[in-house]
């Protein structure tokens, strides 16, 4: 059973999601540092979604989706597949809504993400990334239990929920008398950056929005060049475990294709350096996938020319050993 | 030359400091997590001063002090001694006010704190903690240059500046419709907890305020028991480098003696565990001294009995190797 909602979400859906999420998600702060301003040649604000409930933005889309289920759908519960952040988002959302959730996770996902997902009350089913398809495992469970599959990005409610990050950052800048000129958001399936694009298309239509991804896993750059979703070949790896979807989603790319100013790539060492920067100067914990946007700014992938830039730091769920290595070597 | 301002600060001084600091310091967020609420049996809010400029609350008192200098005092500049956080606070405040600062730091202070102090434009003079007295080194420089010594805690403007943490947390709780029942703040010389006591004495007189310190460096507990400042003997050590002042200040203790509900002690392993908790669940970087209050809550040193508690997480300036060890072992 899959959720039937193939239409593209709109700005109105993002506004509606913000209503739905009121009292559920946190309004995460904008952080700043003189060194970032200097690196980018403008004013930089870090939208710290690592401080969001579950340690990433994913609770926004997950709750917006799960809170819309029908009475029948609530009874059979939901199934999701995720390497970790969507897993935690769905697990917490399910617990808040009061339904059962089964999460299909790769057996090599960060231990902290697996533990946290279980701690939110979800049932975790592990699969072998090398020999099994997560879609097939999830579909098997869904069929068996009559449960609904909650997609990690290619769903209008999920995209609209993630888009509330865009609404918030515009509102927070407004309180400072500012408007965004450039916004950077990490892209795996592209749901976050698509949602932000919907919000900014209406509220800050002149802002340029970039997807940021691992340089060796550049399906967004390839897809934007091709004009259609392209799957990365050969399968490449990166320690940005949250950003390894093999291709953009169909719905997300239909939005991103027309709205993004481009896609920027960063290397794993650059990401480690950004994690170390956040440790040393911002005092927030970023996971690899949550630090790609900061890396793009620190490495000058995009200049601000005196303008205002917002980098979304999308998550902070990282195992201690990976983090320790990053902050000790990445400086 | 020492600053002459021996009178005890009052609530009015704290209000005045908040005016003075407007636009200079950040209103740091209150963080929360279900696990903390469960551990304390109430609602816990973490006042995240690690997200303050310079990575600790010390900029508050330092700026409030330096911005009050006379025209003559500005010319000769200031001298301060500090293991790190006051150093950075004075260095940034001096740069904002436009005066010269010399900071006397122990040669074994965390490298990150020494570097950051230099990066703010201050001149750093290192001394050997084993063979030299920091007071004597600072006094020598002050005499030579005619510069003023800025004390780390025993000064009315410094205490009033730190007290703005107390004003803010009461105001932030008010916005949530809450009042504080218990407040925990780390104590080295006692300036932060004294300032908070001044603010809460007026705004939340029923709240119980506790100093938290390393269990083996318990000069506040000993002093409260004796009714006068007691120096810890023998010299004890702790990895809470920010909390090693040998005895409470005279001004700070004159306030704390009558206002504190008590002093709580935590061990270094308990502090490492709290740092790991903040890494894993709150996604903020805490230094050892910044995590003692969280450790006290997690270890049940104080219960909330259904009430509202605020723990001030006072700083996040820690070397990567110390941090890596804490998050890898402290869980």
């Amino acid at each position: 059973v899959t959720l039937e909602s193939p239409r593209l979400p709109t700005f109105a859906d993002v506004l509606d999601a913000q209503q739905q999420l009121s009292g559920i998600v946190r309004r995460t702060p904008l952080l700043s540092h003189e060194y970032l301003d200097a690196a980018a040649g403008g004013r930089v604000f870090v939208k710290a979604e690592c401080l969001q409930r579950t340690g990433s933005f994913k609770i926004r889309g997950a709750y917006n989706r799960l809170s819309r289920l029908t009475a029948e759908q609530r009874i059979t519960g939901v199934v999701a597949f995720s390497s970790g952040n969507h897993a935690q988002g769905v697990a917490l959302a399910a617990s808040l809504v009061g339904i059962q959730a089964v999460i299909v996770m790769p057996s090599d996902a960060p231990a902290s993400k697996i533990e946290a997902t279980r701690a939110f009350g979800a049932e975790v089913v592990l699969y072998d990334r090398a020999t099994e398809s997560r879609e097939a495992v999830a579909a098997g469970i869904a069929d068996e239990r009559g449960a609904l599959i909650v997609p990690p990005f290619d769903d209008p409610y999920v995209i609209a929920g993630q888009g509330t990050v865009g609404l918030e950052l515009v509102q927070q800048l407004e309180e400072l008398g500012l408007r965004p000129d450039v916004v950077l958001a990490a892209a795996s399936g592209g749901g976050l950056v698509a949602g932000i694009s919907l919000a900014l298309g209406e509220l800050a239509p002149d802002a340029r929005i970039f997807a940021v991804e691992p340089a060796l896993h550049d399906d967004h750059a390839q897809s934007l060049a091709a004009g259609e979703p392209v799957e990365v070949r050969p399968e490449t790896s990166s320690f940005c475990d949250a950003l390894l979807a093999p291709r953009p989603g169909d719905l997300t790319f239909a939005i991103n294709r027309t709205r993004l100013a481009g896609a920027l790539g960063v290397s794993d060492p650059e990401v480690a350096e950004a994690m170390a920067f956040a440790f040393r100067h911002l005092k927030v914990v970023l996971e690899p996938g949550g630090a790609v946007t900061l890396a793009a700014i620190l490495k000058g992938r995009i200049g601000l020319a005196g303008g205002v830039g917002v980098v979304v730091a999308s998550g902070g769920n990282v195992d201690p050993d990976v983090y320790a290595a990053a902050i000790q070597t990445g400086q």
Side-chain angles (χ1 to χ4, degrees), chain A residues 47-78:
Chain A
K47 176 71 173 158
E49 281 291 297
C50 54
L51 302 177
Q52 187 52 267
R53 291 178 82 174
T54 73
S56 95
F57 70 97
K58 288 281 191 177
I59 180 65
R60 297 176 184 265
Y63 186 85
N64 194 42
R65 173 68 272 186
L66 295 198
S67 63
R68 317 280 185 163
L69 296 181
T70 65
E72 292 77 23
Q73 289 170 328
R74 285 163 172 261
I75 294 170
T76 43
V78 295

Side-chain angles (χ1 to χ4, degrees), chain A residues 125-258:
Chain A
V125 173
L126 299 176
Y127 75 98
D128 183 337
R129 211 198 285 258
T131 60
E132 295 179 279
S133 144
R134 63 184 192 172
E135 287 82 357
V137 174
I141 295 168
D143 281 349
E144 189 183 306
R145 309 193 185 192
L148 286 168
I149 292 178
V150 184
F153 47 83
D154 234 5
D155 174 276
Y157 287 114
V158 172
I159 295 169
Q162 322 302 32
T164 60
V165 172
L167 285 187
E168 266 182 34
L169 71 86
V170 170
Q171 291 157 353
Q172 289 171 298
L173 286 180
E174 244 169 32
E175 290 166 14
L176 302 171
L178 301 172
R179 293 167 58 85
D181 297 305
V182 170
V183 175
L184 306 186
S188 183
L192 174 62
V193 74
I196 290 173
S197 293
L198 291 179
L200 269 69
E202 192 83 14
L203 298 179
D206 296 337
R208 289 184 303 150
I209 305 167
F210 293 87
V212 187
E213 60 192 349
L216 294 177
H217 194 94
D218 62 341
D219 49 305
H220 278 81
Q222 289 187 41
S223 301
L224 288 174
E228 60 180 9
V230 172
E231 189 163 327
V232 276
R233 297 274 178 210
E235 276 287 348
T236 52
S237 196
S238 160
F239 85 142
C240 299
D241 61 273
L243 305 182
L244 297 182
R247 49 158 276 174
D250 292 319
L251 294 183
T252 57
F253 191 71
I255 297 167
N256 290 330
R257 184 188 164 185
T258 60

Side-chain angles (χ1 to χ4, degrees), chain A residues 7-20 64 68 156-157 159-161 163-164 167 198:
Chain A
R7 72 178 175 82
L8 283 186
T10 64
F11 178 68
D13 293 312
V14 183
L15 285 180
D16 186 46
Q18 194 172 43
Q19 285 274 330
Q20 192 81 352
N64 194 42
R68 317 280 185 163
Y157 287 114
I159 295 169
T164 60
L167 285 187
L198 291 179

